[in-house]
């Protein structure tokens, strides 16, 4: 049951991570003048950074959560790495995918830029690493490390 819930959560989190990071990136990029060195839209950039922080927080929780099934991080990791591999093999096809999925506009730009800049590969490998932890594949026992024998009260 834990792995079924992990698979479902991984499927739901994948578009949230993809779209959240892409939209935040696009909005942040439109909120400052890099050449002039100034923020041009305070409200937009604060909202974009808040969204990017939320994506980072969710990613971090997925990476370190002891309770989580490895599928929670494996599904988005394989999706991100698969998209990156497709980009490296056939960039035109990979960059055309965002235009096939609504909504269009700034979101498409963000998806293409994060894919082409390697950010999705970075996120994919960061999410892949915790799937190798043996504690994630166990039965979900969250017991703490056993006390050494000299501290145990079982023998008294």
């Amino acid at each position: 049951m834990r792995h079924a819930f992990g698979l479902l959560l991984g499927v739901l989190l994948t578009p949230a991570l993809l779209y959240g990071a892409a939209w935040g990136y696009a909005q942040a990029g439109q909120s400052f003048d890099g050449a002039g060195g100034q923020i041009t839209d305070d409200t937009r950039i604060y909202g974009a950074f808040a969204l990017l922080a939320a994506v980072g927080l969710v990613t971090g929780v997925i990476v370190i959560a002891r309770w989580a099934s490895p599928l929670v991080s494996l599904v988005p990791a394989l999706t991100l790495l698969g998209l990156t591999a497709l980009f490296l093999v056939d960039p035109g096809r990979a960059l055309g995918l965002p235009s096939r999925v609504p909504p269009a506009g700034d979101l498409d730009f963000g998806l293409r830029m994060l894919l082409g800049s390697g950010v999705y590969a970075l996120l994919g490998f960061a999410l892949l690493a915790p799937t190798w932890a043996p504690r994630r594949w166990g039965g979900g026992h969250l017991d703490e490390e056993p006390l050494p024998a000299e501290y145990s009260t079982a023998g008294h």
Side-chain angles (χ1 to χ4, degrees), residues 19 98-99 101-108 111:
Y19 285 115
S99 62
V101 181
D106 292 342
L107 192 54
D108 286 357
L111 288 166

Side-chain angles (χ1 to χ4, degrees), residues 1-14 62 67-76 136:
M1 185 65 179
R2 181 167 130 344
H3 294 304
F5 178 69
L7 177 64
L8 177 65
L9 192 55
V11 167
L12 294 175
L13 284 174
T14 299
I62 292 170
W67 55 265
S69 163
L71 297 175
V72 175
S73 59
L74 184 63
V75 171
R136 282 274 182 100

Side-chain angles (χ1 to χ4, degrees), residues 60-136:
V61 167
I62 292 170
V63 167
I64 66 167
R66 293 184 66 116
W67 55 265
S69 163
L71 297 175
V72 175
S73 59
L74 184 63
V75 171
L78 293 179
T79 302
L80 291 165
L81 293 174
L83 285 171
T84 302
L86 179 62
F87 173 75
L88 293 174
V89 171
D90 189 358
R93 185 171 172 202
L95 294 173
L97 287 176
S99 62
R100 295 183 187 162
V101 181
D106 292 342
L107 192 54
D108 286 357
F109 172 76
L111 288 166
R112 287 182 183 114
M113 290 304 294
L114 292 178
L115 179 60
S117 63
V119 172
Y120 284 156
L122 174 99
L123 279 173
F125 280 112
L127 289 167
L128 185 64
T131 63
W132 293 324
R135 67 179 164 78
R136 282 274 182 100

